[in-house]
């Protein structure tokens, strides 16, 4: 069960945590992001030291820890809203599509890149809406791979999830289906409480019969998220025939230390989940305090490599702003470390276009921070970075 603002206020708004709660409400009012935490995630928080708790930092941000947004932050950093071919179906790569199945999540993360689309007050997914996406997929035989995300598939009724995935399985040409969820770690008991596990087991079996690869992509960010309950849920899913892969967002004060990240990778592998991606956090508003620089991410990757087998290590990526897609972290065309400004190409998405990514201002010298805040000086620096890559002039 997800506790939203009113329930959280009843739980935290009086007594020893009332000052912290006042900070949480002030942060939510400032960022406009929804609040929602499961009982399970509340149980993973360190209640004797909530301020420094890595689980609290992800879900209940404090007003005092917020930082001003970088001038390049965007409400929809990945340009998904305008990349929809029909409502709820995003097309970026030639052979893949993203189906936004619901606006609901078991928890609402302080760094979510899709805050433009998720929240308890937004319209939930409906079969009628999904029909539009299914129709577009049926009409376009070039799409081989569909990621069903949201929001979070864990919040779909099992019958609806079964219906949707079955319809995808019936589309000729679909070779891969991925179901994206944070629910496995945010509310692992949900798997066994109702028919979800049976539904997923049935879908896995039908997918195998049709030669379609069905996988669950699990969003997890801290080793504490893989406790006994989440491990049990992961084991049940593996037993049911699902492939599990991890997706982690690199977050300052949560997993940006080599030991924390290594512990997460090891716990992930032990739980039967293949480490897949570590994302540099997107440039979403209200999340600046959690972002890390590309240089810091590259250093973390360096520290991690060699600690375990290469096939058990995630790939570090930057999902570049404006819809360039995931680029391997080190694949920048140019990285101006003084201004923390990187330029990427994404030839498959658009060979003519350049995509930008910027480090958090806090990591830059004070005069450079001031430079970013002045329109003319930041424009000059951006233009200079783009020119230096010798590419036609448009930029995301
Ligand atoms: S669970 Fe995923 S979609 Fe939902 S708020 Fe967190 S990051 Fe965003």
């Amino acid at each position: 069960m997800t506790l939203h603002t009113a329930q959280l206020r009843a739980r935290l708004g009086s007594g020893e945590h009332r000052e912290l709660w006042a900070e949480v409400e002030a942060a939510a009012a400032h960022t406009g992001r929804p609040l929602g935490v499961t009982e399970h995630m509340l149980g993973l928080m360190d209640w004797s030291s909530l301020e420094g708790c890595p689980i609290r930092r992800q879900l209940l941000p404090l007003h005092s820890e917020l930082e001003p947004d970088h001038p390049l932050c965007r409400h929809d950093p990945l340009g998904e809203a305008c990349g929809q071919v029909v409502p709820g179906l995003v097309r970026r790569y030639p052979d893949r599509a993203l189906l936004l199945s619901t606006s609901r999540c078991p928890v609402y993360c302080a760094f979510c890149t899709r805050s433009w689309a998720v929240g308890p007050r937004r319209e939930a997914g409906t079969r009628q809406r999904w029909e539009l996406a299914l129709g577009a997929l049926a009409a376009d035989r070039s799409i081989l791979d569909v990621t069903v995300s949201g929001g979070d598939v864990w919040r779909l009724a099992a019958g609806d999830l079964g219906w949707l995935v079955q319809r995808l399985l019936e589309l000729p040409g679909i070779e891969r289906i991925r179901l994206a969820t944070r629910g496995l770690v945010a509310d692992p008991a949900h798997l066994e409480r109702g028919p979800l596990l049976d539904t997923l087991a049935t879908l896995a079996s039908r997918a195998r019969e049709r030669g379609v690869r069905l996988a669950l992509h699990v969003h997890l960010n801290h080793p504490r998220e893989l406790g006994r309950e989440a491990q049990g849920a992961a084991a049940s899913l593996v037993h049911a025939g699902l492939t599990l892969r991890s997706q982690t967002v690199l977050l300052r004060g949560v997993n940006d230390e080599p030991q924390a990240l290594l512990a997460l990778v090891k716990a992930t592998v032990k739980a039967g989940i293949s480490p897949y991606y570590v994302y540099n956090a997107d440039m979403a508003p209200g999340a600046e305090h959690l972002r890390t620089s590309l240089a810091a991410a590259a250093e973390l990757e360096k520290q991690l490599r060699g600690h375990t087998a290469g096939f058990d290590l995630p790939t570090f990526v930057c999902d570049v702003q404006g819809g360039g897609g995931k680029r391997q972290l080190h694949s920048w065309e140019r990285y101006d470390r003084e201004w923390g400004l990187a330029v990427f190409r994404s030839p498959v998405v658009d060979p003519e276009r350049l995509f930008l990514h910027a480090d958090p201002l806090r990591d830059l010298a004070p005069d450079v921070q001031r430079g970013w805040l002045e329109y003319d000086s930041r424009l000059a620096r951006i233009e200079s970075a783009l020119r230096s890559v010798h590419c036609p002039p448009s930029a995301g």
Side-chain angles (χ1 to χ4, degrees), residues 105 107-109 112 118 151-152 182 219:
C105 298
V107 291
Y108 292 99
C109 307
C112 181
V118 304
D152 193 318
R182 186 136 169 72
H219 172 180

Side-chain angles (χ1 to χ4, degrees), residues 2 37 52 58 87 107 115 166 198 256 267 301 304 310 362 393:
T2 302
V37 188
Q58 297 179 63
V107 291
S115 60
Q166 179 60 36
D198 287 344
D256 64 334
E301 185 185 33
L304 214 60
R362 102 182 74 79

Side-chain angles (χ1 to χ4, degrees), residues 14 34 77 80 82 89 103 108 116-117 121 136-137 140 160 175 183 196 201 208 211 224 229 271 283 291 315 320 393:
S14 56
E80 292 175 328
C82 58
L89 190 74
S103 58
Y108 292 99
W116 62 274
R121 297 214 175 114
L137 290 168
D140 185 346
D160 285 340
E175 296 178 359
L196 181 60
R208 262 194 313 279
R224 207 182 295 165
E229 298 91 341
M283 301 184 65
R291 292 206 304 124
T315 302
V320 291

Side-chain angles (χ1 to χ4, degrees), residues 157-346:
D160 285 340
L161 178 64
W163 181 88
L164 179 58
V165 177
Q166 179 60 36
R167 290 287 302 275
L168 290 171
L169 286 172
E170 287 163 8
L171 290 175
I174 296 293
E175 296 178 359
R176 302 180 295 268
I177 299 172
R178 328 175 202 186
L179 309 176
T181 184
R182 186 136 169 72
L184 186 141
V185 296
D187 187 11
H190 179 61
L191 188 68
E192 312 267 1
R193 261 198 308 261
L196 181 60
L197 180 57
D198 287 344
T199 300
L200 287 168
T202 303
L203 292 171
S205 159
R206 289 185 189 155
R208 262 194 313 279
E209 283 164 19
R210 296 185 74 92
V212 174
R213 288 190 282 156
L214 178 67
L216 209 69
H217 281 205
V218 185
H219 172 180
L220 40 85
N221 299 323
H222 191 271
R224 207 182 295 165
E225 294 171 21
L226 276 172
R228 191 173 41 81
E229 298 91 341
Q231 283 181 35
S236 299
L237 288 166
V238 171
H239 185 70
L242 273 293
T243 297
L244 305 185
R245 300 190 190 103
S246 76
Q247 306 204 127
T248 290
V249 182
L250 198 56
L251 298 167
R252 181 165 162 260
V254 174
N255 55 21
D256 64 334
E257 295 291 334
Q259 289 314 317
L261 204 52
L262 181 61
L264 177 63
V265 168
K266 290 196 167 178
T268 302
V269 172
K270 198 170 163 203
I273 306 171
S274 297
Y276 182 34
Y277 279 144
V278 170
Y279 292 83
N280 214 39
D282 294 330
M283 301 184 65
E288 199 65 7
H289 63 294
L290 292 165
R291 292 206 304 124
T292 56
S293 67
L294 282 183
E299 180 59 28
L300 271 169
E301 185 185 33
K302 192 189 294 180
Q303 297 280 342
L304 214 60
R305 196 152 289 279
H307 271 291
T308 187
F311 52 78
D312 274 344
L313 281 176
T315 302
F316 283 58
V317 292
C318 179
D319 211 343
V320 291
Q321 203 186 46
K326 289 173 265 303
R327 311 308 299 155
Q328 208 170 22
L329 197 79
H330 298 274
S331 68
W332 56 70
E333 302 295 323
R334 184 175 195 272
Y335 181 21
D336 169 355
R337 289 181 190 235
E338 187 191 2
W339 275 61
L341 179 63
V343 183
F344 287 86
R345 279 186 204 273
S346 188

